[in-house]
Amino acid sequence: MKHSPLNLFILLIPLLHSLSHATATVDQAGLLTALRRAKMQSQGEHTFNEKWFDNMSFEVDEETTDRKMQDDLMKDGLPGQPFPVKFKQFAGYVSVDKSTGRSLFYYFTEAVENPASKPLILWLNGGPGCSSLGVGAMVEIGPFGVKSDGKSLYAREFAWNKVANVLYVESPAGVGFSYSNATSDYELSGDTRTAQDAYTFLLNWFARFPQYRTKDFYIIGESYAGFYIPELADVILKRNTDKKPFTKIQLKGIMVGNGIMNDATDNNGTFDYMWSHAMISDETYQGLLKFCTSPNFNRTKCDLVQFAVDEEVGTIDFYNIYGPVCSHSNASKKAKCAQDYDPCELSYVRNYLNLPRVQEILHANGTNIPYAWDACSEMVHSYWKDSPTSMFPIYKSLISSGLRILIYSGDMDAVVPVTSTRYSLNALKLDVKKPWHFWVDDLGEVGGYQIVYEGLTFSTVRGAGHEVPRVQPQRSLSLLKKFIAGQF
Amino acid sequence: MKHSPLNLFILLIPLLHSLSHATATVDQAGLLTALRRAKMQSQGEHTFNEKWFDNMSFEVDEETTDRKMQDDLMKDGLPGQPFPVKFKQFAGYVSVDKSTGRSLFYYFTEAVENPASKPLILWLNGGPGCSSLGVGAMVEIGPFGVKSDGKSLYAREFAWNKVANVLYVESPAGVGFSYSNATSDYELSGDTRTAQDAYTFLLNWFARFPQYRTKDFYIIGESYAGFYIPELADVILKRNTDKKPFTKIQLKGIMVGNGIMNDATDNNGTFDYMWSHAMISDETYQGLLKFCTSPNFNRTKCDLVQFAVDEEVGTIDFYNIYGPVCSHSNASKKAKCAQDYDPCELSYVRNYLNLPRVQEILHANGTNIPYAWDACSEMVHSYWKDSPTSMFPIYKSLISSGLRILIYSGDMDAVVPVTSTRYSLNALKLDVKKPWHFWVDDLGEVGGYQIVYEGLTFSTVRGAGHEVPRVQPQRSLSLLKKFIAGQF
């Protein structure tokens, strides 16, 4: 895979918008503009290289690990957490390159009940550059959320460790507490190195947590992890053929939520979504189709059209178009009855994870990272080296391997909207095994719609945004349970 | 206008779905099927007849009315209402045809403060056959809603009589408490007779409430009232040219919410909406486009496709696709945080309006109507005689008259969705005065999007369903205030 510097200043930064509160307009609209523009400008340049795997190297602690599982145990749990909790939590660093000191930070929550009988989930957020700890664990699926005081935690009713053991990794190095001692390492950030490091991380983590090596293993995440997840699965399946005990990972399936998949169809779906959801004018819609799609992409004219998108749409959350916006003075109050989450929660998370006591308990202190913990890293995405235009080649390979694949989509997201994923899956041209139908959640309500292809299932989650479990926690846990139970 | 019996068994019955609770699937999906099918089967047959007005006759109490305003006053307000309230309420019958005893029932709420300085609004629900009292006043914009006990009322925070005097008419005869002594009258139900009677009602009502004759007058409503409202406005403007004092009505503007407008574009927009909101499969979408649109409409094949729609979509509320459904056992509880309304409220309204004491206070007793009050009348819509395919001719006439026109659309409605209205307005080919832009509500949030044409404004209401004020009460009151203030 080529490593020429793309210098995509902003490639795809889901969740980053949540960081800024005073200037939500610029952030949200600006983000959409930036990510589409960057991807479109590079379109066709970065096709998938079948040999990408050959360029990877893995630094594995085959026999021993410098640190034991018990060393990472957080004996009293997280500071400010509600008591009592019945499950164990672990956190710490796993080295992925000793020469540069590159290490990934993880947080691991055992299942609430009988963890030995439960599968293991690796959760990955996107970006590139966003934290699975801060976003995934803290505002989406982890056992605790952070209260507005930035110090104390509340129990999340539909936490995913009610059905599985869940591992959150801040990936790649440069995100959250993950780091390298050689700052030049960050300049090599990209899809290839992310997959290589994530895989190395896994092998070393299993060495530290050997009893999880035999558990059914799932990789789940969202947004730009729509690339991370199939890429990591591809590496795992290829390495599994080595038939060495320490490289054998019991990967059973992947779930990808509102994930990018294939640039051209993802872009077209976004334009259609914005028009059909009455966000933009007819003229702007026509302009997007005319100037912002291949092969007639016109940078100057597309820039102007994207500017029109920003102007027209106004201050709404592109990631949840009917949801509350944090910047609004009473968003926090309104959230109680509009959609049941606090749009400002990520700012409480930032405060919490920067408390020295919290970092100490997480075993994240003492690394002397010269900047505060943040939910997304601009540095990482600004250096991003490689990002293919399509995941189709890897999906085809994964499907032929028999891996269980669930693509899901919250239908209130305008960033990687449900129309994009429908177009992408159509372009993938899979045979239909069970036609389009509704699926029913644990409450007996229509949870969304589903189509089962040969080797891949697509489910929408009705009334959910980009961060599906945040907006529809109960419904997304229903979906997870069904997937783990092998119901599709 | 021709009066051949169309016998459209079901033409357009928004809100009727709310009546049945045990069989919500059949109702909701069945309704969509029925209304689309009936309209499509009759397509092209019922074009607008320019001479429709010439066939009308008006029976006006020019000098006196048999009943005075004070006779209709509900001195102690409605049974079970919260005290104190500062405004007067009136209710009663107004004759529109003495020969057959045809009379329309109205409910009138004066503005909370200083009614003499406030405009007068006539609110009309659609159907055909649905009640402005039961739906409009009681679950959307009236001062009171009905509690789940079916006996007591609560105050509605964003009631429209906070900014205007509001008149609700059960129209046409056969709807709610409105009736005729000659049952054969019901067989003449249709657009023409509805407009004629509504106009006659207004003149006679003004004779009873003379101080409202000089107030700025607005007609507002939704759904099938997308036909009622421009039709009534057309009659008013034509009769205003008579220059007789008693026919002079100070009509200043109309507001139409999720209203039908033009069959072909309304239908196409609905198909697109269902696909882009992930409700139906690609195949069903293609089938709708192929067999359910003019000129290739194929009844048998379209029926099959409509059946597929029902099967695929499942039990959701077509009128508010992300909202709660009454039939679900815990809908009432969930509604507190999903969208802040009780989806079962219309059943409480039915219980309330059938209480003998309530009918007595409303001056609706003593008419010996041989059936219970219901929110929508199947009898009325089953006899529906005439319904044009398009409102464009009347809109063009109204626009040239200088009437202020606001079309608005809740963007979560799949029955007359925002895409339909966009297609319809495009087909109307008006000049753009102010291009597409967001509008800001009283909370400072993006209330939706707006385009100002020469003579007509279109506003979306973000996060609202078919019954816009029910789902987004605060936002819709913001929109009303801006319209009355002449801000667009």
Side-chain angles (χ1 to χ4, degrees), chain A residues 3-15:
Chain A
H3 274 269
S4 63
L6 296 184
N7 280 324
L8 301 181
F9 181 65
I10 297 172
L11 186 67
L12 197 62
I13 323 164
L15 317 176

PDB file of all heavy atoms in Angstrom, chain A residues 3-15:
ATOM      1  N   HIS A   3       2.441   4.846   0.605  1.00  0.00           N
ATOM      2  CA  HIS A   3       2.513   5.658   1.804  1.00  0.00           C
ATOM      3  C   HIS A   3       2.854   7.102   1.480  1.00  0.00           C
ATOM      4  O   HIS A   3       3.409   7.809   2.299  1.00  0.00           O
ATOM      5  CB  HIS A   3       3.528   5.075   2.790  1.00  0.00           C
ATOM      6  CG  HIS A   3       2.919   4.022   3.656  1.00  0.00           C
ATOM      7  ND1 HIS A   3       2.348   4.289   4.880  1.00  0.00           N
ATOM      8  CD2 HIS A   3       2.748   2.697   3.464  1.00  0.00           C
ATOM      9  CE1 HIS A   3       1.874   3.179   5.404  1.00  0.00           C
ATOM     10  NE2 HIS A   3       2.104   2.194   4.563  1.00  0.00           N
ATOM     11  N   SER A   4       2.563   7.505   0.266  1.00  0.00           N
ATOM     12  CA  SER A   4       2.792   8.913  -0.073  1.00  0.00           C
ATOM     13  C   SER A   4       1.913   9.775   0.830  1.00  0.00           C
ATOM     14  O   SER A   4       0.796   9.407   1.154  1.00  0.00           O
ATOM     15  CB  SER A   4       2.403   9.164  -1.529  1.00  0.00           C
ATOM     16  OG  SER A   4       1.042   8.921  -1.719  1.00  0.00           O
ATOM     17  N   PRO A   5       2.427  10.888   1.274  1.00  0.00           N
ATOM     18  CA  PRO A   5       1.635  11.707   2.197  1.00  0.00           C
ATOM     19  C   PRO A   5       0.429  12.325   1.499  1.00  0.00           C
ATOM     20  O   PRO A   5       0.578  13.121   0.579  1.00  0.00           O
ATOM     21  CB  PRO A   5       2.625  12.779   2.650  1.00  0.00           C
ATOM     22  CG  PRO A   5       3.665  12.823   1.595  1.00  0.00           C
ATOM     23  CD  PRO A   5       3.734  11.459   0.982  1.00  0.00           C
ATOM     24  N   LEU A   6      -0.730  11.955   1.946  1.00  0.00           N
ATOM     25  CA  LEU A   6      -1.934  12.547   1.367  1.00  0.00           C
ATOM     26  C   LEU A   6      -2.155  13.946   1.896  1.00  0.00           C
ATOM     27  O   LEU A   6      -2.702  14.793   1.229  1.00  0.00           O
ATOM     28  CB  LEU A   6      -3.168  11.718   1.740  1.00  0.00           C
ATOM     29  CG  LEU A   6      -3.237  10.293   1.204  1.00  0.00           C
ATOM     30  CD1 LEU A   6      -4.568   9.686   1.596  1.00  0.00           C
ATOM     31  CD2 LEU A   6      -3.088  10.314  -0.303  1.00  0.00           C
ATOM     32  N   ASN A   7      -1.700  14.127   3.159  1.00  0.00           N
ATOM     33  CA  ASN A   7      -1.980  15.387   3.814  1.00  0.00           C
ATOM     34  C   ASN A   7      -3.439  15.807   3.691  1.00  0.00           C
ATOM     35  O   ASN A   7      -3.762  16.931   3.342  1.00  0.00           O
ATOM     36  CB  ASN A   7      -1.063  16.499   3.283  1.00  0.00           C
ATOM     37  CG  ASN A   7       0.300  16.411   3.933  1.00  0.00           C
ATOM     38  OD1 ASN A   7       0.393  16.076   5.115  1.00  0.00           O
ATOM     39  ND2 ASN A   7       1.332  16.684   3.158  1.00  0.00           N
ATOM     40  N   LEU A   8      -4.306  14.860   3.927  1.00  0.00           N
ATOM     41  CA  LEU A   8      -5.712  15.224   4.025  1.00  0.00           C
ATOM     42  C   LEU A   8      -5.853  15.976   5.332  1.00  0.00           C
ATOM     43  O   LEU A   8      -5.740  15.379   6.398  1.00  0.00           O
ATOM     44  CB  LEU A   8      -6.580  13.971   4.064  1.00  0.00           C
ATOM     45  CG  LEU A   8      -6.453  13.043   2.872  1.00  0.00           C
ATOM     46  CD1 LEU A   8      -7.378  11.869   3.035  1.00  0.00           C
ATOM     47  CD2 LEU A   8      -6.733  13.781   1.578  1.00  0.00           C
ATOM     48  N   PHE A   9      -6.035  17.254   5.245  1.00  0.00           N
ATOM     49  CA  PHE A   9      -6.032  18.017   6.488  1.00  0.00           C
ATOM     50  C   PHE A   9      -7.140  17.528   7.417  1.00  0.00           C
ATOM     51  O   PHE A   9      -6.955  17.311   8.591  1.00  0.00           O
ATOM     52  CB  PHE A   9      -6.186  19.508   6.232  1.00  0.00           C
ATOM     53  CG  PHE A   9      -6.149  20.285   7.512  1.00  0.00           C
ATOM     54  CD1 PHE A   9      -4.982  20.297   8.277  1.00  0.00           C
ATOM     55  CD2 PHE A   9      -7.266  20.947   7.979  1.00  0.00           C
ATOM     56  CE1 PHE A   9      -4.928  20.984   9.479  1.00  0.00           C
ATOM     57  CE2 PHE A   9      -7.222  21.627   9.187  1.00  0.00           C
ATOM     58  CZ  PHE A   9      -6.057  21.648   9.938  1.00  0.00           C
ATOM     59  N   ILE A  10      -8.315  17.362   6.812  1.00  0.00           N
ATOM     60  CA  ILE A  10      -9.375  16.729   7.588  1.00  0.00           C
ATOM     61  C   ILE A  10      -9.965  15.647   6.696  1.00  0.00           C
ATOM     62  O   ILE A  10     -10.426  15.946   5.603  1.00  0.00           O
ATOM     63  CB  ILE A  10     -10.466  17.726   7.973  1.00  0.00           C
ATOM     64  CG1 ILE A  10      -9.885  18.817   8.868  1.00  0.00           C
ATOM     65  CG2 ILE A  10     -11.613  17.006   8.674  1.00  0.00           C
ATOM     66  CD1 ILE A  10     -10.854  19.943   9.142  1.00  0.00           C
ATOM     67  N   LEU A  11      -9.927  14.449   7.164  1.00  0.00           N
ATOM     68  CA  LEU A  11     -10.437  13.381   6.318  1.00  0.00           C
ATOM     69  C   LEU A  11     -11.839  12.996   6.713  1.00  0.00           C
ATOM     70  O   LEU A  11     -12.773  13.050   5.915  1.00  0.00           O
ATOM     71  CB  LEU A  11      -9.513  12.169   6.398  1.00  0.00           C
ATOM     72  CG  LEU A  11      -9.903  11.052   5.435  1.00  0.00           C
ATOM     73  CD1 LEU A  11      -9.705  11.494   4.002  1.00  0.00           C
ATOM     74  CD2 LEU A  11      -9.119   9.799   5.718  1.00  0.00           C
ATOM     75  N   LEU A  12     -11.979  12.575   7.927  1.00  0.00           N
ATOM     76  CA  LEU A  12     -13.307  12.191   8.383  1.00  0.00           C
ATOM     77  C   LEU A  12     -13.246  12.257   9.901  1.00  0.00           C
ATOM     78  O   LEU A  12     -12.541  11.504  10.524  1.00  0.00           O
ATOM     79  CB  LEU A  12     -13.639  10.777   7.915  1.00  0.00           C
ATOM     80  CG  LEU A  12     -15.110  10.375   7.963  1.00  0.00           C
ATOM     81  CD1 LEU A  12     -15.939  11.250   7.043  1.00  0.00           C
ATOM     82  CD2 LEU A  12     -15.275   8.928   7.591  1.00  0.00           C
ATOM     83  N   ILE A  13     -13.989  13.159  10.441  1.00  0.00           N
ATOM     84  CA  ILE A  13     -13.822  13.473  11.850  1.00  0.00           C
ATOM     85  C   ILE A  13     -15.128  13.363  12.618  1.00  0.00           C
ATOM     86  O   ILE A  13     -15.511  14.260  13.337  1.00  0.00           O
ATOM     87  CB  ILE A  13     -13.293  14.900  12.013  1.00  0.00           C
ATOM     88  CG1 ILE A  13     -12.293  15.216  10.913  1.00  0.00           C
ATOM     89  CG2 ILE A  13     -12.661  15.080  13.385  1.00  0.00           C
ATOM     90  CD1 ILE A  13     -12.026  16.687  10.791  1.00  0.00           C
ATOM     91  N   PRO A  14     -15.859  12.287  12.442  1.00  0.00           N
ATOM     92  CA  PRO A  14     -17.069  12.179  13.255  1.00  0.00           C
ATOM     93  C   PRO A  14     -16.738  12.376  14.719  1.00  0.00           C
ATOM     94  O   PRO A  14     -15.681  11.958  15.173  1.00  0.00           O
ATOM     95  CB  PRO A  14     -17.532  10.752  13.008  1.00  0.00           C
ATOM     96  CG  PRO A  14     -17.037  10.465  11.650  1.00  0.00           C
ATOM     97  CD  PRO A  14     -15.707  11.155  11.555  1.00  0.00           C
ATOM     98  N   LEU A  15     -17.622  13.021  15.389  1.00  0.00           N
ATOM     99  CA  LEU A  15     -17.555  13.219  16.832  1.00  0.00           C
ATOM    100  C   LEU A  15     -16.726  14.426  17.211  1.00  0.00           C
ATOM    101  O   LEU A  15     -16.885  14.962  18.297  1.00  0.00           O
ATOM    102  CB  LEU A  15     -16.990  11.992  17.553  1.00  0.00           C
ATOM    103  CG  LEU A  15     -17.539  10.667  17.038  1.00  0.00           C
ATOM    104  CD1 LEU A  15     -16.869   9.510  17.731  1.00  0.00           C
ATOM    105  CD2 LEU A  15     -19.050  10.608  17.226  1.00  0.00           C
TER     106      LEU A  15
END
